[in-house]
Amino acid sequence: MKTILFPGQGAQYKGMGKELFGAYPDHTKNASEILGYSIEELCLDDPNNELKLTQFTQPALYVVNALGYLKKRDEEDNTIDFFIGHSLGEYNALLAAEAFDFETGLKLVQKRGVLMGKASGGGMAAVLGVKADDIKTILVDNGLTDIDLANYNTPTQTVISGTTESIKDSLKIFRENKMRCIPLNVSAAFHSRYMRDAQKEFAEFLKQFKFSGLTTPVIANATARPYKDEKLVTTLSDQIASSVLWTESIRYLMGRGEMEFVEIGRAVLTKMVTEITKTETPLIIEEEPEKEAKDEKIENEKEDTKKKVAVSSKKKKSVDKVEKKKKQSSKIGASATDGNGFFKASSLGNKDFCEEYGIKYAYLTGAMVRGIASKELVIRQGRAGLMSYFGAGGLSMSKIEESIQEIQSELSSGESYGLNLLCNLENPQKEQETVELYLKYNIRYVEAAAFMQMTPALVLYRLKGLKKDENGSVCCDNKILGKLSRPEVAESFMSPAPERVVKRLLEEGKITEEQAELSKSVPMSYDICIEADSGGHTDGGIPTVLVPSIMSLRKEMQQKYNYDRTIRIGQGGGIGTPEAAAAAFIMGVDFVLTGSINQCTVQGGISESVKNMLQDINVQDTEYAPAGDMFEIGARVQVLKKGVFFPVRANKLYQLYTNYNSLDELPEKTKAQLQDKYFKKSFDDIWHETKSYFEEKGYSDRLERADKSPKNKMSLVFQWYFRNSMKLAFNGDEEGRINYQVHTGPALGAFNQWVKGTELEDWRNRHVDEIAEKIMLGTAELLNKRYEAMNSCG
């Protein structure tokens, strides 16, 4: 496929069109007559130094672009699939698509140039090397809300537009933050709210012209979607005061298929396109005009059927509903049964794993902290013959105990469930108390996360479940799922409990001699879950790299310790579609584990406000930010980026922490920004709250360190923001929405795209057990199709 690009203002230069005016004398003559001056003289000689003025620049570029395209068309008789122009260049795109003739287009551009040329009192600047979302945050944080983002040229090049004074202020702020910002030599704030008067006048001017339907799609700057014939006038007039969505436009074109981009004139836009295609993902969008036509056809067919058979309204609605569900089920591959193919959902993964965990599929639902993996979620999975881990991390002991009691009262003895255990290096006593609670209630399945080494509490849990059966074999009643993303951590889980820890527990009387002895013959965990690019704490690992590596390690550890059974390996992180699950099973994993996709369900223990945001994200809408619980060591979590400022602000706080030694050292302007914009509280008020929080939690040692170290105190003040942002998200505080901290991975974006257009597009129709069913059945169906396709090629 091929797209022709037309450049806009800024691409002009003295001498442009030199080889074109003589080749197209009639067009050149007509242009000069319409404009009232020699277009050839303006472009080649510019005797009055007018080429840089908007009212002259725009007609000149339009003419040169038009002649340049004519030359290319005459020389190359190729099929063009799309046209697109940057700002002024959009008029050339519409001309090429035959919306109007050459003379009409020139009159439009001449009027546009005059209107924009007489505008004044504003300015523009290009910000380089900074993402657009970060620019927005900086502007909002500094009170520069009268500045608009005018041109989204590339992921690292954005043009801002606003009043002259605000643009000057922004230049200073960007430069203080060591960001490259270049003022543009323009007379007004183009492509912003300040052009609305010009937009209204131009809209009236357009009424005197008639436009033809487009013969080739043209991508509109204002929408990043193809022009619609019936909305051409509105879209064209809106362009003057709207942002140029260039990056999204190119991503849209990338999503149409393999695309060749050809620019008219010098390679101005080509450089932008190259950056976008190398760094951004294609934007896959269903064509609305086709969809509307299809829907209209369906409705007409329904009416015809209704007249012919005279069915009742009630019966027809029932039929339509069934048909809709059939279409939805077809899209997401959710058959009602396990099918008759070679692969079955119930046979994927490790059969022994399913039997040992008491589940029908080799599919687990992972824990999400603070009860996001709620007791309702755990109960629903258990009743469906599946299993989930309750998100106990971050909850009080009383809340965990209350949840355990409810889960146990709701599930029968044959229905499985587990709880998670987070490593707590800051407060190992909390970890110890959690394990003791689990032992008290005979919890048999634990998901161990964030462990870098085997702690006494985790070893205690494992060893308390060791015993011999009637045949003399070692039984491990307390099963640990080791969730990890590093081979060295996997090695710790695949090894027997550390001797020094076992010895200490034995000396303290917490385990028996037999348990200490049996610990030498079993690993800390027979079940390892490799966590790839997931929500929350993550190393951003790549499964196709991690899985083979840790499988090789498993072989080595099996041989080293001569275990009497095989360690099983599963994959979590990135599992949101049948395709992802199929890839994992093809690599040979014994089970899969989902996480982020379950947060955005009816059972997810997070606010409706957050779920509304999550159901609309795509794979690119997450970002890495510092982890509040491991702030000082620079650990990172993956969080929601779309619609919030949290990742930008959290990264800024960590940057300040690393660059300064105390709150007092911070620049005065930065102090004001943090207290007024980020926190909306004074440092003193935050410190008072922080002290109360740590005293209540029993972390007096942390307060003592802060009293001795100003840098540590600064860290605790900054960490308040992380706790508060999480609290805002859980409570669904709409006023604090821009500060929501929401842990999620890109798998949810992939899931959203998979279910788009079905009833599962709305989170209110998403239930964790039904999602599990659809993914596993869809995986089996997909593998069967691939298997049949390969056999047919044989």
Side-chain angles (χ1 to χ4, degrees):
M1 301 181 78
K2 179 182 286 189
T3 295
I4 296 294
L5 312 169
F6 295 96
Q9 195 162 344
Q12 73 274 10
Y13 62 94
K14 185 178 178 180
M16 66 179 185
K18 183 177 181 180
E19 75 285 3
L20 298 172
F21 296 120
Y24 299 95
D26 291 342
H27 286 81
T28 303
K29 179 183 177 183
N30 289 344
S32 297
E33 289 177 353
I34 291 171
L35 296 171
Y37 54 82
S38 171
I39 188 66
E40 185 173 5
E41 182 182 52
L42 172 67
C43 293
L44 300 184
D45 303 323
D46 192 20
N48 301 315
N49 199 27
E50 295 171 324
L51 189 57
K52 65 181 180 181
L53 302 179
T54 298
Q55 58 268 41
F56 291 96
T57 304
Q58 295 196 10
L61 271 174
Y62 170 82
V63 172
V64 173
N65 278 344
L67 300 184
Y69 173 66
L70 284 176
K71 183 173 184 293
K72 181 170 285 293
R73 190 184 67 179
D74 293 342
E75 294 175 349
E76 305 173 12
D77 188 21
N78 293 329
T79 300
I80 308 301
D81 299 285
F82 294 94
F83 291 110
I84 185 173
H86 191 285
S87 190
L88 165 78
E90 189 159 292
Y91 288 77
N92 289 106
L94 291 167
L95 169 64
E98 302 179 22
F100 42 70
D101 58 26
F102 173 77
E103 290 77 14
T104 297
L106 182 56
K107 292 174 185 177
L108 298 179
V109 168
Q110 183 183 32
K111 180 66 172 180
R112 182 181 189 268
V114 169
L115 290 174
M116 295 179 72
K118 73 179 184 180
S120 60
M124 303 177 76
V127 185
L128 308 178
V130 186
K131 292 181 180 179
D133 286 345
D134 294 346
I135 294 171
K136 288 180 183 177
T137 301
I138 291 170
L139 294 174
V140 171
D141 287 348
N142 288 277
L144 297 175
T145 54
D146 57 347
I147 291 180
D148 293 338
L149 271 60
N151 297 355
Y152 293 79
N153 287 337
T154 74
T156 59
Q157 183 191 121
T158 305
V159 175
I160 57 175
S161 191
T163 63
T164 303
E165 192 62 33
S166 290
I167 293 295
K168 286 181 180 178
D169 291 342
S170 71
L171 291 173
K172 184 178 178 183
I173 291 166
F174 285 120
R175 287 166 181 167
E176 285 177 353
N177 285 275
K178 298 181 180 179
M179 298 175 181
R180 191 179 175 198
C181 191
I182 304 170
L184 302 183
N185 185 21
V186 295
S187 60
F190 301 147
H191 292 293
S192 73
R193 71 190 84 170
Y194 303 102
M195 298 302 296
R196 285 175 185 158
D197 288 342
Q199 173 195 341
K200 291 177 182 177
E201 188 172 344
F202 189 62
E204 287 298 316
F205 179 74
L206 288 174
K207 290 180 180 179
Q208 61 185 283
F209 297 94
K210 290 185 178 180
F211 301 95
S212 303
L214 302 182
T215 57
T216 303
V218 174
I219 308 304
N221 288 177
T223 64
R225 302 291 185 272
Y227 263 88
K228 295 181 179 180
D229 290 343
E230 69 276 13
K231 294 183 179 180
L232 190 148
V233 172
T234 302
T235 305
L236 196 57
S237 62
D238 286 349
Q239 191 222 44
I240 293 178
S242 300
S243 301
V244 176
L245 305 178
W246 188 254
T247 297
E248 186 175 344
S249 297
I250 299 303
R251 288 184 59 223
Y252 173 85
L253 289 167
M254 290 162 60
R256 308 317 299 159
E258 187 173 343
M259 190 69 65
E260 177 188 3
F261 294 94
V262 178
E263 182 172 359
I264 301 300
R266 290 183 171 181
V268 177
L269 300 176
T270 301
K271 294 177 182 178
M272 295 182 189
V273 171
T274 299
E275 179 184 342
I276 296 166
T277 55
K278 284 184 177 180
T279 61
E280 296 296 293
T281 57
L283 190 60
I284 310 297
I285 300 292
E286 181 182 0
E287 289 298 307
E288 287 302 320
E290 296 175 6
K291 182 176 183 295
E292 289 172 2
K294 183 178 179 182
D295 289 346
E296 184 178 356
K297 181 180 178 182
I298 290 173
E299 288 303 315
N300 290 338
E301 289 174 351
K302 287 179 181 178
E303 288 301 316
D304 290 342
T305 302
K306 182 178 179 181
K307 291 176 182 178
K308 289 177 182 178
V309 300
V311 296
S312 69
S313 175
K314 181 177 180 181
K315 182 177 180 181
K316 184 174 184 300
K317 286 179 181 178
S318 176
V319 171
D320 289 345
K321 187 174 181 181
V322 169
E323 289 302 313
K324 182 180 179 182
K325 285 193 173 183
K326 284 182 180 178
K327 290 177 183 178
Q328 292 170 344
S329 295
S330 175
K331 179 182 176 186
I332 59 178
S335 57
T337 66
D338 210 350
N340 299 313
F342 181 83
F343 295 98
K344 296 182 182 297
S346 56
S347 65
L348 296 175
N350 188 294
K351 183 178 180 181
D352 290 338
F353 176 84
C354 294
E355 290 180 357
E356 192 170 318
Y357 279 69
I359 52 181
K360 61 182 179 181
Y361 301 135
Y363 177 106
L364 297 174
T365 301
M368 292 168 283
V369 297
R370 299 175 185 268
I372 295 177
S374 65
K375 54 183 183 291
E376 292 81 10
L377 189 156
V378 173
I379 292 167
R380 180 146 183 147
Q381 288 291 77
R383 287 175 175 170
L386 299 163
M387 178 174 155
S388 174
Y389 292 96
F390 175 69
L395 298 180
S396 66
M397 299 305 297
S398 60
K399 185 68 175 177
I400 297 172
E401 185 167 18
E402 175 188 320
S403 298
I404 291 173
Q405 291 171 345
E406 184 169 345
I407 291 169
Q408 291 184 339
S409 68
E410 292 289 333
L411 294 180
S412 68
S413 59
E415 295 171 333
S416 302
Y417 67 94
L419 284 85
N420 80 318
L421 179 68
L422 291 182
C423 180
N424 196 331
L425 297 177
E426 283 289 336
N427 187 5
Q429 183 59 33
K430 173 70 179 294
E431 186 184 323
Q432 179 68 31
E433 291 172 1
T434 305
V435 164
E436 290 173 356
L437 184 66
Y438 290 177
L439 294 173
K440 173 184 175 182
Y441 283 93
N442 201 29
I443 303 300
R444 292 307 187 192
Y445 302 95
V446 163
E447 176 197 277
F451 285 85
M452 300 299 289
Q453 59 189 19
M454 300 300 98
T455 63
L458 188 62
V459 173
L460 174 64
Y461 174 78
R462 178 63 163 172
L463 270 56
K464 290 293 282 186
L466 295 182
K467 62 183 180 182
K468 283 189 176 183
D469 63 16
E470 61 275 10
N471 298 318
S473 300
V474 180
C475 293
C476 306
D477 286 345
N478 292 347
K479 295 171 177 56
I480 294 175
L481 183 82
K483 205 172 178 183
L484 50 90
S485 56
R486 297 186 181 187
E488 69 271 22
V489 180
E491 184 173 351
S492 295
F493 275 102
M494 292 179 183
S495 300
E499 288 186 15
R500 57 178 178 77
V501 178
V502 174
K503 182 179 179 182
R504 175 182 162 187
L505 293 174
L506 185 59
E507 290 172 349
E508 293 174 350
K510 293 182 178 179
I511 60 173
T512 66
E513 290 277 1
E514 182 185 32
Q515 289 167 339
E517 186 62 28
L518 293 178
S519 71
K520 298 176 183 178
S521 59
V522 296
M524 279 294 296
S525 174
Y526 274 119
D527 298 305
I528 304 297
C529 182
I530 299 170
E531 187 173 25
D533 194 22
S534 63
H537 296 82
T538 177
D539 290 324
I542 301 170
T544 51
V545 174
L546 282 172
V547 172
S549 174
I550 293 180
M551 283 183 170
S552 296
L553 176 64
R554 170 178 63 181
K555 183 178 180 181
E556 177 186 327
M557 300 300 285
Q558 289 280 165
Q559 292 174 346
K560 180 178 179 179
Y561 292 104
N562 195 29
Y563 297 131
D564 61 3
R565 52 184 288 195
T566 303
I567 295 171
R568 296 173 295 224
I569 293 176
Q571 183 195 321
I575 306 293
T577 62
E579 289 80 1
F585 284 123
I586 287 173
M587 284 194 291
V589 302
D590 295 300
F591 61 91
V592 293
L593 179 145
T594 58
S596 296
I597 64 173
N598 304 303
Q599 180 174 199
C600 192
T601 63
V602 174
Q603 291 77 35
I606 194 74
S607 67
E608 290 193 2
S609 176
V610 168
K611 293 178 187 179
N612 290 334
M613 298 171 75
L614 288 176
Q615 77 173 14
D616 294 327
I617 72 168
N618 208 324
V619 294
Q620 73 274 12
D621 293 325
T622 61
E623 184 63 275
Y624 291 101
D629 56 345
M630 292 185 273
F631 179 77
E632 294 173 2
I633 63 174
R636 297 170 72 76
V637 291
Q638 189 160 202
V639 297
L640 174 66
K641 175 178 69 173
K642 183 179 181 180
V644 298
F645 289 160
F646 172 77
V648 174
R649 291 181 169 179
N651 281 305
K652 175 68 175 294
L653 291 175
Y654 184 71
Q655 181 184 33
L656 292 173
Y657 171 74
T658 57
N659 291 338
Y660 296 93
N661 292 313
S662 69
L663 292 171
D664 292 335
E665 280 190 15
L666 297 176
E668 290 302 320
K669 190 169 184 178
T670 300
K671 291 180 186 177
Q673 179 190 43
L674 295 181
Q675 294 174 99
D676 297 342
K677 304 293 183 182
Y678 285 35
F679 304 154
K680 297 190 182 300
K681 285 188 178 185
S682 69
F683 291 152
D684 288 340
D685 287 344
I686 291 172
W687 180 240
H688 178 74
E689 286 186 23
T690 299
K691 288 179 67 177
S692 299
Y693 172 80
F694 283 115
E695 286 169 354
E696 181 182 339
K697 295 290 182 181
Y699 297 166
S700 57
D701 56 328
R702 299 195 66 180
L703 295 176
E704 291 172 4
R705 290 202 303 270
D707 287 338
K708 297 175 182 178
S709 168
K711 189 175 184 73
N712 189 262
K713 179 178 179 179
M714 176 172 64
S715 170
L716 295 186
V717 169
F718 287 175
Q719 287 176 54
W720 172 91
Y721 174 72
F722 291 80
R723 292 194 303 276
N724 188 59
S725 61
M726 187 75 81
K727 180 180 177 182
L728 292 171
F730 271 85
N731 293 340
D733 186 334
E734 288 293 338
E735 291 185 5
R737 184 171 177 168
I738 61 171
N739 287 309
Y740 280 5
Q741 179 184 175
V742 181
H743 293 192
T744 188
L748 178 56
F751 177 85
N752 287 341
Q753 299 309 303
W754 177 47
V755 301
K756 191 172 184 179
T758 76
E759 61 182 5
L760 295 188
E761 185 170 354
D762 188 336
W763 66 263
R764 294 165 185 81
N765 297 321
R766 299 180 187 181
H767 298 280
V768 286
D769 57 326
E770 294 173 7
I771 288 174
E773 195 85 22
K774 291 180 188 298
I775 287 180
M776 291 301 289
L777 292 174
T779 300
E781 182 180 351
L782 178 66
L783 289 172
N784 282 318
K785 287 180 180 178
R786 297 289 188 271
Y787 181 71
E788 291 169 7
M790 286 189 291
N791 281 341
S792 66
C793 295

